[in-house]
Amino acid sequence: MQLTVGRIGKPHGIRGEVTVEVRTDEPEARFAPGSVLVTEPGAAAGRAAPPTPGAYRVPDRLTVVAARWHQSRLLVTFEGVHDRNVAEALRDTMLVVESVDIDSPTDPDEFHDHQLVGLVAVTPDGERLGEVRRVDHAPASDLLVLRRPDGRDAYIPFVRAIVPEVDLAGSRVVVDPPSGLLDL
């Protein structure tokens, strides 16, 4: 399974450096010099104009040469990207890694999003509430987005008081929702 760790934004300067919208909790590890990131297939191919002959084609992989923080933005230099024109061609490219390449968290109460997606959500009594579709990272807390049996989505704050148990081996998550939470 591929996990998105960033999206390339606009060029920064004239020497090929780009801004990266970070989508990982470990940017220092993911964007360390020498790291190889896979580009999501077709990420930049959805542009309106077809590429002209001789135009820069986004490679399948990009190798990080350097990364630094500047005014709360990550700036990255990739191998082979030496000017603003090539950097502009990378805009909106998604950067992904394989989930097998990511170490499991050492804290037993910490999980990667891909570990939670697909788990069956049940009440403490065993009543099926739905399936975890995705994890949204909100300012107050992370939210488990459940697909309810009736097709609706339910947003569950991923806090111990409401989600007391995550059983990866059993492919389930126990949710003890306060009254009315699933009715929103």
Side-chain angles (χ1 to χ4, degrees), residues 36-48:
V36 178
L37 302 169
V38 175
T39 58
E40 185 175 83
R47 305 270 169 105

Side-chain angles (χ1 to χ4, degrees), residues 137-142:
H137 301 281
S141 71
D142 292 341

Side-chain angles (χ1 to χ4, degrees), residues 1 113-114 116-121 130-136 143-148 151-156 173:
M1 168 187 249
D113 293 0
H114 72 276
L116 301 170
V117 172
L119 296 182
V120 174
E131 183 178 307
V132 179
R133 282 192 28 204
R134 69 176 190 272
V135 179
D136 285 353
L143 298 169
L144 297 179
V145 180
L146 301 184
R147 173 63 66 174
R148 302 278 289 141
R152 295 181 303 122
D153 284 343
Y155 296 86
I156 308 296
V173 59

Side-chain angles (χ1 to χ4, degrees), residues 102-171:
I102 296 177
D103 295 330
S104 293
T106 55
D107 182 347
D109 291 331
E110 185 178 327
F111 304 94
H112 291 297
D113 293 0
H114 72 276
Q115 294 176 298
L116 301 170
V117 172
L119 296 182
V120 174
V122 296
T123 65
D125 299 332
E127 176 190 348
R128 184 183 168 102
L129 297 174
E131 183 178 307
V132 179
R133 282 192 28 204
R134 69 176 190 272
V135 179
D136 285 353
H137 301 281
S141 71
D142 292 341
L143 298 169
L144 297 179
V145 180
L146 301 184
R147 173 63 66 174
R148 302 278 289 141
D150 63 6
R152 295 181 303 122
D153 284 343
Y155 296 86
I156 308 296
F158 191 40
V159 295
R160 185 172 293 285
I162 299 173
V163 184
E165 181 184 350
V166 176
D167 179 8
L168 295 177
S171 297

